[in-house]
Amino acid sequence: MSSVLSDVPRGGTWLSRWEPENTAFWATTGSRLAWRTLTITTLNLVMAFMAWFLVSALVVRLPQIGFKFTPTQLFWLAAMPGLAGGTLRLVHMFLTPMLGTRLVVTVSTLSLLVPLVGWFYAVQDPGTPYSVLLLLAFLAGLGGGNFSSFMPSTSLFFPKRLQGTALAIQAGIGNFGVSVVQFVTPWIIGFALLGGSALLGDPQTMTKGGVQSQVYLQNAAAVMLPFVVVFGISAWLLLKSVPIKANFAQQFDIFRSRHTWSMTSLYIMTFGAFSGLSATFPLLIKQIYGSFPGAPDPLAWAFWGPLVGSAARVVAGPLSDRLGGARVTHWAALGMLGATLWVTTLTQPTGLESFPMFVAGMLVMFFFAGIGNASTFKQMPMLFEPRQAGGVIGFTGAIAAYGPFLFGMLFAGSFASLQSATPVFYGLAAFFAFNVVLNWWMYARRGAANPC
C-alpha cells in the first residue's frame, strides 16, 4: 500500500490512508467512513437504475397516448438502454482508480439529468420522431453505466470478510430502482404535479381498453429530477476517494486471468438475466397475454420481478459471506435452470388461466437470479487482489449490462419470425446449464483448485 500512497495526490478528495484489513484501523476509522460511503453511493445507484429502466416503464404506454410504433420498434426502444449501459460500463470500469469515488459518483449522477429532461419533453408530443426516442433511450443507459464504477469503489472500501454483504446491499438496493420506476410510473402519471403547474406540461389522452383518461406521462421523469440533483451534490460534499490508483493500461492485467472470463459468464447468467428480463417483462406480458379479453396491465405485474430479485440479492450477500459464494451460486444456477424450463410450458397460452403460473415462474427465476447476483460478487474479491477485483466487478457488470439489449433483440426476433418467446427461453436454459457445470467444476466441487 505504501508504494501506492506515494503516488497519490493529497487534498480534499483523496484519503491519505486506507487499510480496511487492519482491524484497529477498521474499528477506529474505516468502518464509519465505509458505511457512510456505501449509503451515499447506494442512494445514487438507485437513481441510476431508475433512469436506466425508465424506458421499460414508459414504452408500454406510448401507443396508448398516440405514438404509432410496431411491437418490434417498442422492443428496440426497451433494448437501447441496455446497449448503452453495457457500452458505458466498459468505460466506467476504469474510472474509479483513475479519478476517484467522489468525482465519478458526482458527475455520473448529475449526467442523468440529460435523459430525464429529454424524456420529460418527448412524451408530451406524440409526433416526436422515433429516431429522437431511440437516442433518448440510448442516453437512459447513462444510468446503467454507473454500476461499473460504483461497485468497484465499494469493493475498495470494505475488508474481504464483509465484501459479500456490502456489495449485495449496494447492488440489491440499487436494483430496487428498477421495480420502483415500474411501480411508481402508473401511479405518478395519473395526476398533475404541483397543482397542474404549466411548467410541468399538459396532460395526454390515454386510450386503454376503449376507455379514455387523462395522464401526465412526463411525470415519470419529472419526479426523479430533484432527487438526482440532491444526491449528486451530496456525493460531492460527503464522499472521499480510496488511495488506490492505476492508469488505463495497468488495469488491463485482469484479462490475463481465466477467472475473469469464467466469472463474466456466471454474471451474465445472473445479472444479464435479471436486467434483460426486467426490461422486457412488461412487453412479454403484453405480447403473450395481451390479446385475451380482460388482459392484465403489464405494469401492474412487471415490477414484482425486479423487486423479488433485488430483495433476494440483499439477503444473499450475508449468506454468501457465511457459506461461500461458489456454493450459493451453484444452487442459484440450478434454480434459474428449473424456473426457465417451467416458463417454457407457459409461453403459448390459450387463455388467461395460465397467467398466474407464468408470473410465478418468472418470479422464481428473478429470485434465483438475485441470489446469484450476490454470490458471484462474493466470489470475485476472493479470486483477485483489491484493485483487480474492482476491475473484474466492473467488467463483468459491463458485459452483463447488455442484458436488456440482448433480451430485447432476442424476443423481438423470436416474436417477429416465430410469434413465440419459447425458443428464447430454451436458449436461456441451455446457457444456464452450461454455467452450472462451469461453476461447479472451477469453484464449487470438492477439490476445486480455486474454491471461493
Side-chain angles (χ1 to χ4, degrees), residues 59-61 63-64 71 74 280-292 295-296 298 355 415:
V59 70
V60 295
R61 297 294 191 221
Q64 297 171 344
L74 294 176
T280 54
F281 197 16
L283 284 174
L284 278 178
I285 293 174
K286 182 175 183 290
Q287 288 298 112
I288 296 173
Y289 287 93
S291 62
F292 298 113
F355 178 70
F415 279 115

Short mmCIF file of all heavy atoms in Angstrom, two decimals, residues 59-61 63-64 71 74 280-292 295-296 298 355 415:
data_model
loop_
_atom_site.label_atom_id
_atom_site.label_comp_id
_atom_site.label_asym_id
_atom_site.label_seq_id
_atom_site.Cartn_x
_atom_site.Cartn_y
_atom_site.Cartn_z
N VAL A 59 -42.55 2.52 -22.25
CA VAL A 59 -42.73 2.02 -23.60
C VAL A 59 -44.10 1.38 -23.83
O VAL A 59 -44.67 1.50 -24.92
CB VAL A 59 -41.58 1.03 -23.95
CG1 VAL A 59 -41.70 -0.26 -23.16
CG2 VAL A 59 -41.52 0.76 -25.43
N VAL A 60 -44.66 0.74 -22.80
CA VAL A 60 -45.97 0.11 -22.99
C VAL A 60 -47.09 1.14 -23.05
O VAL A 60 -48.21 0.83 -23.48
CB VAL A 60 -46.27 -0.93 -21.89
CG1 VAL A 60 -45.29 -2.08 -21.96
CG2 VAL A 60 -46.24 -0.28 -20.51
N ARG A 61 -46.82 2.37 -22.58
CA ARG A 61 -47.84 3.42 -22.59
C ARG A 61 -47.82 4.25 -23.87
O ARG A 61 -48.80 4.93 -24.18
CB ARG A 61 -47.64 4.36 -21.40
CG ARG A 61 -47.80 3.71 -20.02
CD ARG A 61 -49.22 3.27 -19.80
NE ARG A 61 -49.44 2.89 -18.41
CZ ARG A 61 -50.15 1.84 -18.03
NH1 ARG A 61 -50.70 1.05 -18.95
NH2 ARG A 61 -50.32 1.56 -16.76
N PRO A 63 -47.99 3.67 -27.17
CA PRO A 63 -49.08 3.51 -28.15
C PRO A 63 -50.43 3.97 -27.62
O PRO A 63 -51.30 4.37 -28.41
CB PRO A 63 -49.08 1.99 -28.42
CG PRO A 63 -47.72 1.53 -28.02
CD PRO A 63 -47.33 2.39 -26.87
N GLN A 64 -50.60 3.94 -26.29
CA GLN A 64 -51.88 4.31 -25.71
C GLN A 64 -52.11 5.81 -25.70
O GLN A 64 -53.25 6.26 -25.51
CB GLN A 64 -51.97 3.76 -24.28
CG GLN A 64 -51.93 2.23 -24.22
CD GLN A 64 -51.81 1.71 -22.80
OE1 GLN A 64 -51.46 2.45 -21.86
NE2 GLN A 64 -52.10 0.43 -22.61
N PRO A 71 -44.63 -3.52 -32.61
CA PRO A 71 -44.02 -4.24 -31.48
C PRO A 71 -42.50 -4.32 -31.58
O PRO A 71 -41.80 -4.20 -30.56
CB PRO A 71 -44.67 -5.63 -31.56
CG PRO A 71 -46.00 -5.38 -32.19
CD PRO A 71 -45.76 -4.28 -33.18
N LEU A 74 -41.02 -1.11 -30.45
CA LEU A 74 -41.11 -0.97 -29.00
C LEU A 74 -40.03 -1.79 -28.30
O LEU A 74 -39.43 -1.34 -27.31
CB LEU A 74 -42.50 -1.39 -28.51
CG LEU A 74 -43.66 -0.49 -28.97
CD1 LEU A 74 -44.99 -1.08 -28.51
CD2 LEU A 74 -43.50 0.93 -28.44
N THR A 280 -37.71 -6.34 -20.31
CA THR A 280 -38.66 -6.88 -21.29
C THR A 280 -39.90 -7.51 -20.67
O THR A 280 -40.85 -7.83 -21.39
CB THR A 280 -37.97 -7.94 -22.17
OG1 THR A 280 -37.37 -8.94 -21.33
CG2 THR A 280 -36.88 -7.31 -23.03
N PHE A 281 -39.93 -7.67 -19.36
CA PHE A 281 -41.07 -8.32 -18.70
C PHE A 281 -42.40 -7.64 -19.03
O PHE A 281 -43.40 -8.32 -19.35
CB PHE A 281 -40.82 -8.37 -17.20
CG PHE A 281 -41.69 -9.36 -16.46
CD1 PHE A 281 -42.38 -10.37 -17.11
CD2 PHE A 281 -41.81 -9.29 -15.07
CE1 PHE A 281 -43.17 -11.28 -16.42
CE2 PHE A 281 -42.59 -10.19 -14.36
CZ PHE A 281 -43.28 -11.18 -15.04
N PRO A 282 -42.49 -6.29 -18.98
CA PRO A 282 -43.78 -5.67 -19.34
C PRO A 282 -44.22 -6.00 -20.76
O PRO A 282 -45.39 -6.33 -20.99
CB PRO A 282 -43.51 -4.17 -19.17
CG PRO A 282 -42.35 -4.08 -18.24
CD PRO A 282 -41.50 -5.27 -18.55
N LEU A 283 -43.28 -5.96 -21.71
CA LEU A 283 -43.65 -6.27 -23.09
C LEU A 283 -43.94 -7.75 -23.29
O LEU A 283 -44.78 -8.11 -24.11
CB LEU A 283 -42.53 -5.83 -24.03
CG LEU A 283 -42.44 -4.31 -24.30
CD1 LEU A 283 -41.20 -3.99 -25.13
CD2 LEU A 283 -43.69 -3.81 -25.02
N LEU A 284 -43.26 -8.62 -22.53
CA LEU A 284 -43.56 -10.05 -22.61
C LEU A 284 -45.00 -10.32 -22.18
O LEU A 284 -45.73 -11.08 -22.83
CB LEU A 284 -42.60 -10.84 -21.73
CG LEU A 284 -41.22 -11.17 -22.29
CD1 LEU A 284 -40.39 -11.91 -21.25
CD2 LEU A 284 -41.35 -12.00 -23.56
N ILE A 285 -45.41 -9.72 -21.09
CA ILE A 285 -46.79 -9.89 -20.62
C ILE A 285 -47.76 -9.39 -21.68
O ILE A 285 -48.77 -10.05 -22.00
CB ILE A 285 -47.00 -9.14 -19.29
CG1 ILE A 285 -46.17 -9.79 -18.18
CG2 ILE A 285 -48.49 -9.12 -18.91
CD1 ILE A 285 -46.19 -9.03 -16.87
N LYS A 286 -47.46 -8.23 -22.27
CA LYS A 286 -48.34 -7.66 -23.28
C LYS A 286 -48.42 -8.55 -24.52
O LYS A 286 -49.51 -8.80 -25.06
CB LYS A 286 -47.84 -6.26 -23.67
CG LYS A 286 -48.70 -5.52 -24.69
CD LYS A 286 -48.18 -4.11 -24.89
CE LYS A 286 -49.06 -3.32 -25.85
NZ LYS A 286 -48.93 -3.81 -27.23
N GLN A 287 -47.27 -9.06 -24.97
CA GLN A 287 -47.25 -9.86 -26.20
C GLN A 287 -47.85 -11.25 -26.01
O GLN A 287 -48.50 -11.78 -26.89
CB GLN A 287 -45.81 -9.99 -26.71
CG GLN A 287 -45.23 -8.71 -27.30
CD GLN A 287 -46.01 -8.24 -28.51
OE1 GLN A 287 -46.67 -7.21 -28.47
NE2 GLN A 287 -45.97 -8.99 -29.60
N ILE A 288 -47.60 -11.87 -24.85
CA ILE A 288 -48.05 -13.24 -24.64
C ILE A 288 -49.50 -13.31 -24.18
O ILE A 288 -50.27 -14.16 -24.62
CB ILE A 288 -47.13 -13.95 -23.62
CG1 ILE A 288 -45.70 -14.05 -24.18
CG2 ILE A 288 -47.65 -15.35 -23.28
CD1 ILE A 288 -44.68 -14.59 -23.19
N TYR A 289 -49.90 -12.37 -23.31
CA TYR A 289 -51.24 -12.45 -22.73
C TYR A 289 -52.12 -11.25 -23.05
O TYR A 289 -53.29 -11.20 -22.65
CB TYR A 289 -51.13 -12.59 -21.20
CG TYR A 289 -50.65 -13.95 -20.77
CD1 TYR A 289 -49.29 -14.19 -20.55
CD2 TYR A 289 -51.54 -15.00 -20.58
CE1 TYR A 289 -48.83 -15.44 -20.16
CE2 TYR A 289 -51.10 -16.25 -20.19
CZ TYR A 289 -49.76 -16.47 -19.99
OH TYR A 289 -49.32 -17.73 -19.60
N GLY A 290 -51.58 -10.27 -23.78
CA GLY A 290 -52.33 -9.03 -24.00
C GLY A 290 -53.50 -9.13 -24.97
O GLY A 290 -54.33 -8.22 -25.02
N SER A 291 -53.59 -10.21 -25.75
CA SER A 291 -54.66 -10.32 -26.75
C SER A 291 -55.93 -10.95 -26.21
O SER A 291 -56.96 -10.97 -26.90
CB SER A 291 -54.16 -11.15 -27.94
OG SER A 291 -53.83 -12.47 -27.54
N PHE A 292 -55.90 -11.44 -24.98
CA PHE A 292 -57.08 -12.09 -24.42
C PHE A 292 -58.01 -11.06 -23.78
O PHE A 292 -57.55 -10.03 -23.26
CB PHE A 292 -56.68 -13.13 -23.38
CG PHE A 292 -55.83 -14.25 -23.93
CD1 PHE A 292 -54.51 -14.40 -23.55
CD2 PHE A 292 -56.37 -15.16 -24.85
CE1 PHE A 292 -53.73 -15.42 -24.05
CE2 PHE A 292 -55.60 -16.18 -25.36
CZ PHE A 292 -54.28 -16.31 -24.97
N ALA A 295 -57.30 -8.69 -20.47
CA ALA A 295 -55.86 -8.87 -20.31
C ALA A 295 -55.31 -8.01 -19.18
O ALA A 295 -55.77 -6.89 -18.95
CB ALA A 295 -55.15 -8.52 -21.62
N PRO A 296 -54.31 -8.51 -18.45
CA PRO A 296 -53.75 -7.76 -17.32
C PRO A 296 -52.93 -6.56 -17.79
O PRO A 296 -52.38 -6.57 -18.90
CB PRO A 296 -52.85 -8.79 -16.63
CG PRO A 296 -52.46 -9.74 -17.72
CD PRO A 296 -53.65 -9.82 -18.64
N PRO A 298 -49.67 -4.79 -17.93
CA PRO A 298 -48.30 -5.26 -17.70
C PRO A 298 -47.59 -4.61 -16.53
O PRO A 298 -46.87 -5.27 -15.78
CB PRO A 298 -47.60 -4.94 -19.03
CG PRO A 298 -48.69 -4.95 -20.04
CD PRO A 298 -49.89 -4.38 -19.33
N PHE A 355 -51.91 -17.44 -16.74
CA PHE A 355 -51.14 -16.23 -16.44
C PHE A 355 -50.55 -16.23 -15.03
O PHE A 355 -49.36 -15.88 -14.86
CB PHE A 355 -52.00 -14.99 -16.66
CG PHE A 355 -51.30 -13.70 -16.32
CD1 PHE A 355 -50.26 -13.23 -17.12
CD2 PHE A 355 -51.66 -12.96 -15.21
CE1 PHE A 355 -49.60 -12.05 -16.81
CE2 PHE A 355 -51.01 -11.78 -14.88
CZ PHE A 355 -49.98 -11.32 -15.68
N PHE A 415 -40.49 -13.15 -31.71
CA PHE A 415 -41.90 -12.83 -31.99
C PHE A 415 -42.11 -12.51 -33.47
O PHE A 415 -43.14 -12.87 -34.05
CB PHE A 415 -42.36 -11.66 -31.12
CG PHE A 415 -42.74 -12.03 -29.72
CD1 PHE A 415 -42.01 -11.57 -28.64
CD2 PHE A 415 -43.83 -12.86 -29.48
CE1 PHE A 415 -42.34 -11.92 -27.35
CE2 PHE A 415 -44.19 -13.21 -28.18
CZ PHE A 415 -43.44 -12.75 -27.11
#
